[in-house]
Amino acid sequence: MALRFVWPLGRTARAAPAAEVAPAAEANLLRAAREDPQQLLARLNTSADGLSGLQAQLRLTRLGPNQIAREQPVSWFKQLLATFRNPLVALLAAMAALSLLSGDRKAALIIGTMILFSVSLRFSQEYRSLRAAEGLRRLVHTTATVLRHDPHQDITPGLAADLGLQLEGATAGPQEIPIEQLVPGDEVRLAAGDMIPADVRLLQSKDLFVSQAALSGESLPVQKQAQLPQAQWQLTNPLELETLCFLGTNVVSGSATAVVVETGERTCLGSLAQSVSGQRSRTSFDRGISEVSLLLVRFMLVMAPAVFVINGVSKGNWGEAFFFALSVAVGLTPEMLPMIVTANLSRGAIAMARQKVIVKNIDAIQNLGAMDILCTDKTGTLTQDRIVLKLHLDAAGQDCAEVLELAYLNSYHQSGLKSLLDVAVLAHGDLQDSLQVDRTFSKIDEIPFDFLRRRLSVVVEEANHHHELICKGAVEEVLAVCQQLRLDDQTLALGPEQRQQVLDLNARLNNDGLRVIAVAYKEVPLRQGRYGVADECELTLVGLIAFLDPPKDSAAAALRQLAQQRVEVKVLTGDNAVIARKTCLDVGLEVRGVLLGAEIAAADEATLLQQVETTTIFAKLVPLQKARIIALLRQRGHVVGFMGDGINDAPALREADLGLSVDTAVDIAKESADIVLLEKDLQVLSAGVLEGRRTFGNMTKYIKMGTSSAFGNMFSMLGASIFLPFLPMLPVQILLNNLLYDFSQTGIPFDHVDPDYLEIPRQWKLADIRRFMITIGPISSLFDYATFALMWFVFSAQTIERQSLFQTGWFVESLLTQTLIVYIIRTPRLPFFQSNPAPIMAAISVVVIAIGTALPFSPLAPALGFVPLPAAYFGWLAAILFCYACLTQLVKTWFVRRYGYN
């Protein structure tokens, strides 16, 4: 997805630099901002009813899709070429060319075969991984509401066929279309929670506030309006103009109608994205992989020159020493690490898709496995997300039909994003007929909801007689603007005693697990002009409506699963603490502490840093407080996931290590998330946590094997170069050994992971990798030297004439030890008896061992410098392998007891 509120810059878009707009696009935006709406529509060759279907399709063909610069999926041919462009292939190709020039055609043929085999293997893994990841991202869509008029009136079927256009299924009026299909001249409707789908000029607006931090870095929402203030006529920065909204920003509150001025790379965000496309901020996992690669490269940079000099000086053949040093360098280079990592991540993403978890950012899988705190709202995760209107009461707690009628009128006429509470109110559809809503009431204006007022008002005209402002919202906030109350058909003064009576009723309903909304109104004489927040005053409280969101049946079991996985759940909600505590108790979530938004606002940073650790429920929060809590938890060293689906969740989704949303979420929440759940269920998330840890576990197996093997080989090569009168292994043998070993590791992504490994969060720890490498690596050198002694003293491979026997013996021993030792390293348990590998991994290992053992006896042996090994060798080899496995198991067991197994 191009708009993750991260765009190509990376994980979060906080504090972005102000976008620099291309000169032509900037001039067009400035002109549109100052132009009369009718003149602008005429210039864009559109109308108040939007474009026709033909106009839109022709413009889309001419201007291209509404997409900003990003990493586009490449064709298979380009991917194949990219696979050839890597240092390993270049080095092998150079060696093949040198071999060919020196007259050694067999060596050139073998190395060429190795190149094709290596490239084919890597290409198949990476191409399938990229295609799978791209397919998963396409499952999450962002749409825009656009007006299209009489789509086919200006085109005949014959012309449509000539132009290659599709006429089927098009309809006039408002339509939901993918944002990629928007074109200049399209008229779009915006409401709270919407992403701004392009750079647009407002035609109409109502209390519109937009968050444009992604472009300007402003932390607070900015007001937008359809009429450009006189003071802004001289401004030259489009971002400062109130009549313009920009791609990549989002509507915080209010509503609007706008016309699209610029799309795609001609937008402000597109201009910025073109200069940074392809860049992404590095996660801790990215840094860890780089650190391991750099560690092995450092070994190579030390080892290759040392081996070159030692062999050149001691043996006098500098050409042979050079090729040997190059081969050693290849053996120490982690050339298969990117492929193994990519294959693991893509396999994890595909496995999670089967669990109805869509991974938008494939690197997020590792964070899912590392997550130790999950912050979530209670609605839909702990509860059924199926809100039912249970009670409609007056201030005395008695049933009151007038409360329900006014609430219905409010919900019916509001134009913004309808909440689940509105849906529950509108479920009383019989009121539409009894109140004759369409004939008796006409909407005059609306004062949209925002998270500071926590209320919403609509103004309706009743039978051309008067205006009626109907307000509903949080109890405390509605009471703050009320001066009277209705009780028993009487209007009474709302004094301190009556206020407390209402608050006590609210508290009793909250204790029963009900969410309560207050409803108030006032009559206003017929008048002209707009209504605003200042009109929400001197209201008359009519009563309360109470909703029940029953606990989700699966929530208790899911919370137990997460607790077993050592993932602590914290509830971050805008609701009150009483309801949140009751819900938590109903689903079995232990409440260790409760912190309110007002207390968070008053607390200093040091105090709050301690409180977030011991608090379970954070209630009455505003959006930025959710993000602040997550930032503090991360500051304490936790890997934090946040699950949200509302407008107010976007800042927290961006702040978290792992942003989680659901397919039914508002646009901004889906775009801000790394992972999208197709079901809002913690059990689905629990399964995803296990898959994340399984993926991480399999990647670390290869890393541990690669680092410890390279560390051991360093000592073996140095010793052999110093003491032997010939090369311990020919360059082509080293390369073949390395290729076969890498092939044996391609089964790791399919391997099993021990159940106890999945029980706790797994974070990247380079110190553990380094410690493991230093502990296990030298063991392989010990048995390499045992093999040297075996070939030297037992089989008398002591002279240059018998060097082929020595080299063949070490080739087979080295390949088998590297291939088999992964079965000991892959688990802290006793391999094969307490932990079994995946069949495909075992099968690949058997194939590699069979090839390595058979090569000295094959027709290829002379070309590779091999000779047949004596039968006695294999008895000694079995003894070496057995002792190596036993010693490695003993050392590993000691290591796990002392340092653990990450």
Side-chain angles (χ1 to χ4, degrees):
M1 303 289 296
L3 286 186
R4 190 190 166 305
F5 243 53
V6 162
W7 7 293
L9 272 177
R11 177 71 187 74
T12 58
R14 58 192 123 192
E20 295 183 3
V21 191
E26 180 177 354
N28 192 29
L29 286 171
L30 290 173
R31 180 181 177 184
R34 297 163 181 160
E35 234 171 347
D36 177 79
Q38 294 305 317
Q39 292 178 338
L40 175 61
L41 294 177
R43 181 166 66 85
L44 294 174
N45 193 21
T46 186
S47 68
D49 295 325
L51 297 172
S52 71
L54 174 61
Q55 286 178 305
Q57 291 193 57
L58 289 176
R59 292 184 189 190
L60 185 63
T61 302
R62 179 167 55 89
L63 298 174
N66 179 32
Q67 293 178 332
I68 63 173
R70 64 187 182 109
E71 294 181 69
Q72 299 289 343
V74 297
S75 66
W76 68 268
F77 182 71
K78 289 183 179 180
Q79 180 64 36
L80 181 60
L81 291 179
T83 308
F84 275 98
R85 292 196 302 268
N86 74 74
L88 172 66
V89 173
L91 182 58
L92 290 175
M95 294 182 67
L98 287 173
S99 299
L100 190 61
L101 291 174
S102 63
D104 191 351
R105 295 183 178 179
K106 291 182 179 178
L109 179 61
I110 293 170
I111 296 174
T113 303
M114 291 171 60
I115 292 174
L116 291 175
F117 182 71
S118 176
V119 165
S120 300
L121 178 64
R122 184 170 179 179
F123 168 73
S124 64
Q125 290 285 347
E126 293 190 351
Y127 185 73
R128 285 189 299 175
S129 298
L130 290 171
R131 297 284 75 74
E134 186 67 22
L136 292 175
R137 282 194 292 269
R138 290 197 192 103
L139 293 177
V140 182
H141 301 288
T142 303
T143 61
T145 303
V146 61
L147 297 180
R148 294 276 169 87
H149 73 84
D150 296 331
H152 305 146
Q153 68 177 9
D154 44 8
I155 184 171
T156 65
L159 180 57
D162 292 339
L163 295 174
L165 302 177
Q166 298 292 326
L167 298 184
E168 293 80 18
T171 58
Q175 304 172 36
E176 289 289 327
I177 66 171
I179 62 170
E180 292 82 5
Q181 296 179 16
L182 284 178
V183 295
D186 264 327
E187 189 170 325
V188 295
R189 291 181 177 176
L190 305 172
D194 286 348
M195 297 286 287
I196 305 295
D199 285 359
V200 301
R201 162 63 150 88
L202 297 176
L203 301 176
Q204 299 175 4
S205 67
K206 177 63 179 175
D207 296 318
L208 185 67
F209 284 84
V210 172
S211 172
Q212 56 184 38
L215 289 178
S216 65
E218 297 173 271
S219 58
L220 296 177
V222 294
Q223 186 173 17
K224 299 288 184 177
Q225 56 182 316
Q227 187 69 34
L228 186 67
Q230 189 66 34
Q232 294 189 1
W233 275 82
Q234 301 304 316
L235 297 178
T236 58
N237 182 358
L239 293 173
E240 298 176 355
L241 301 180
E242 294 184 4
T243 52
L244 297 177
C245 296
F246 304 94
L247 175 66
T249 63
N250 68 285
V251 180
V252 175
S253 63
S255 58
T257 301
V259 63
V260 174
V261 179
E262 296 286 3
T263 58
E265 296 182 2
R266 297 171 298 280
T267 62
C268 289
L269 182 59
S271 299
L272 179 61
Q274 287 181 66
S275 63
V276 296
S277 180
Q279 300 177 20
R280 184 175 59 84
S281 62
R282 284 153 54 90
T283 65
S284 61
F285 182 67
D286 293 329
R287 290 191 295 271
I289 293 293
S290 296
E291 287 169 351
V292 169
S293 299
L294 287 174
L295 181 65
L296 294 176
V297 168
R298 288 191 194 104
F299 286 162
M300 180 265 290
L301 292 176
V302 171
M303 273 290 296
V307 167
F308 171 64
V309 172
I310 291 171
N311 281 283
V313 171
S314 63
K315 300 170 183 62
N317 189 335
W318 289 95
E320 185 180 70
F322 175 74
F323 281 111
F324 181 72
L326 280 181
S327 301
V328 169
V330 172
L332 292 174
T333 302
E335 70 276 357
M336 293 293 282
L337 183 58
M339 187 276 290
I340 293 291
V341 169
T342 302
N344 270 289
L345 290 175
S346 81
R347 186 173 184 274
I350 293 169
M352 290 170 68
R354 298 191 191 104
Q355 302 288 338
K356 300 183 179 180
V357 179
I358 304 305
V359 180
K360 288 173 56 186
N361 174 17
I362 198 169
D363 291 336
I365 295 175
Q366 187 271 334
N367 277 338
L368 186 57
M371 179 179 68
D372 62 336
I373 289 182
L374 172 66
C375 297
T376 179
D377 194 359
K378 64 180 181 60
T379 304
T381 51
L382 304 182
T383 62
Q384 293 183 13
D385 210 7
R386 184 180 54 82
I387 292 180
V388 178
L389 176 59
K390 298 293 287 185
L391 301 170
H392 37 91
L393 310 172
D394 61 20
Q398 302 300 314
D399 282 346
C400 178
E402 186 181 7
V403 178
L404 178 59
E405 291 170 356
L406 290 173
Y408 187 91
L409 287 172
N410 179 288
S411 296
Y412 182 85
H413 285 292
Q414 77 165 88
S415 60
L417 195 69
K418 293 196 187 310
S419 70
L420 292 173
L421 303 181
D422 292 310
V423 174
V425 171
L426 294 174
H428 293 261
D430 55 304
L431 290 175
Q432 185 172 357
D433 296 328
S434 63
L435 293 174
Q436 297 183 337
V437 173
D438 295 325
R439 283 181 293 177
T440 306
F441 299 93
S442 59
K443 180 178 178 179
I444 301 300
D445 208 345
E446 178 177 347
I447 309 171
F449 178 87
D450 65 56
F451 293 100
L452 296 178
R453 293 169 33 253
R454 295 167 61 84
R455 58 182 181 260
L456 178 148
S457 298
V458 298
V459 181
V460 296
E461 182 176 303
E462 183 176 358
N464 298 320
H465 181 264
H466 65 275
H467 288 175
E468 197 162 303
L469 186 151
I470 306 169
C471 176
K472 78 174 191 300
V475 175
E476 294 87 346
E477 281 71 11
V478 172
L479 276 176
V481 292
C482 289
Q483 290 188 353
Q484 304 173 100
L485 65 83
R486 290 278 294 169
L487 194 61
D488 297 328
D489 294 328
Q490 299 181 48
T491 301
L492 308 174
L494 183 62
E497 182 178 344
Q498 288 77 22
R499 289 179 187 274
Q500 191 57 49
Q501 180 181 353
V502 174
L503 291 173
D504 290 343
L505 174 60
N506 178 44
R508 290 197 301 273
L509 294 171
N510 288 164
N511 286 330
D512 291 334
L514 297 172
R515 183 172 181 181
V516 182
I517 296 294
V519 179
Y521 82 106
K522 75 172 179 181
E523 293 185 0
V524 183
L526 294 175
R527 76 179 204 193
Q528 300 294 323
R530 307 293 296 272
Y531 286 81
V533 174
D535 294 300
E536 291 180 328
C537 63
E538 301 178 355
L539 304 187
T540 299
L541 179 71
V542 182
L544 308 177
I545 51 177
F547 302 85
L548 176 66
D549 188 5
K552 185 170 285 186
D553 296 336
S554 62
L559 288 171
R560 284 195 299 270
Q561 290 175 359
L562 288 170
Q564 291 170 359
Q565 295 164 0
R566 311 287 179 87
V567 177
E568 182 181 357
V569 176
K570 294 181 183 290
V571 177
L572 277 58
T573 180
D575 214 338
N576 70 63
V578 177
I579 293 178
R581 181 186 287 273
K582 176 69 164 59
T583 301
C584 290
L585 293 176
D586 287 343
V587 297
L589 179 61
E590 180 184 358
V591 178
R592 294 194 295 156
V594 177
L595 204 58
L596 300 180
E599 297 170 333
I600 293 171
D604 61 82
E605 200 77 2
T607 302
L608 198 56
L609 193 61
Q610 300 299 320
Q611 289 178 321
V612 293
E613 188 74 29
T614 57
T615 301
T616 302
I617 296 175
F618 300 86
K620 301 290 284 186
L621 300 178
V622 298
L624 291 180
Q625 287 178 330
K626 293 183 180 183
R628 185 184 179 194
I629 291 164
I630 290 171
L632 289 169
L633 288 169
R634 293 181 67 196
Q635 192 175 329
R636 291 187 62 90
H638 295 289
V639 177
V640 184
F642 179 76
M643 186 171 180
D645 62 355
I647 312 162
N648 58 334
D649 293 326
L653 283 165
R654 294 183 222 123
E655 183 63 44
D657 292 289
L658 183 72
L660 299 143
S661 192
V662 291
D663 194 38
T664 55
V666 297
D667 292 345
I668 178 59
K670 285 192 292 185
E671 292 292 347
S672 298
D674 299 298
I675 292 177
V676 177
L677 310 183
L678 299 184
E679 289 184 5
K680 195 174 183 182
D681 192 332
L682 287 179
Q683 283 190 318
V684 172
L685 182 60
S686 175
V689 168
L690 293 180
E691 195 58 49
R693 293 177 186 175
R694 185 176 293 111
T695 299
F696 180 74
N698 280 334
M699 283 189 293
T700 55
K701 289 174 187 176
Y702 177 83
I703 292 170
K704 287 177 180 178
M705 182 62 216
T707 53
S708 58
S709 176
F711 191 65
N713 285 340
M714 183 174 66
F715 294 109
S716 302
M717 289 293 183
L718 281 174
S721 298
I722 293 171
F723 297 111
L724 293 177
F726 46 78
L727 296 179
M729 206 182 297
L730 295 178
V732 70
Q733 294 170 348
I734 293 176
L735 293 171
L736 183 58
N737 185 300
N738 188 55
L739 180 63
L740 289 171
Y741 162 69
D742 281 338
F743 178 68
S744 73
Q745 306 307 299
T746 57
I748 287 180
F750 305 94
D751 192 23
H752 302 149
V753 177
D754 295 335
D756 51 353
Y757 184 89
L758 304 176
E759 290 177 357
I760 63 174
R762 300 289 176 177
Q763 297 187 33
W764 182 262
K765 296 178 181 177
L766 182 63
D768 286 352
I769 300 291
R770 189 182 290 113
R771 189 183 297 119
F772 188 89
M773 173 191 72
I774 294 171
T775 304
I776 300 296
I779 300 175
S780 66
S781 284
L782 185 64
F783 287 91
D784 282 339
Y785 283 116
T787 304
F788 295 166
L790 172 69
M791 302 309 296
W792 186 274
F793 295 108
V794 177
F795 295 106
S796 301
Q798 303 170 353
T799 63
I800 294 177
E801 291 74 19
R802 290 179 62 82
Q803 65 175 325
S804 295
L805 179 61
F806 187 101
Q807 294 160 350
T808 305
W810 190 34
F811 174 89
V812 174
E813 182 269 345
S814 176
L815 179 62
L816 268 59
T817 52
Q818 287 188 98
T819 303
L820 293 175
I821 204 64
V822 71
Y823 293 96
I824 296 176
I825 291 177
R826 62 171 290 276
T827 174
R829 300 177 175 184
L830 184 63
F832 299 105
F833 293 95
Q834 296 176 334
S835 177
N836 290 318
I840 187 171
M841 182 178 173
I844 292 174
S845 296
V846 169
V847 170
V848 169
I849 290 171
I851 292 173
T853 306
L855 275 174
F857 304 95
S858 72
L860 294 174
L864 296 170
F866 292 138
V867 296
L869 291 164
Y873 166 85
F874 292 99
W876 287 99
L877 176 64
I880 288 174
L881 293 176
F882 178 77
C883 293
Y884 180 34
C886 290
L887 182 58
T888 305
Q889 176 66 25
L890 289 173
V891 174
K892 180 197 70 177
T893 301
W894 169 85
F895 181 92
V896 170
R897 286 175 180 170
R898 180 161 183 175
Y899 300 110
Y901 186 88
N902 187 49

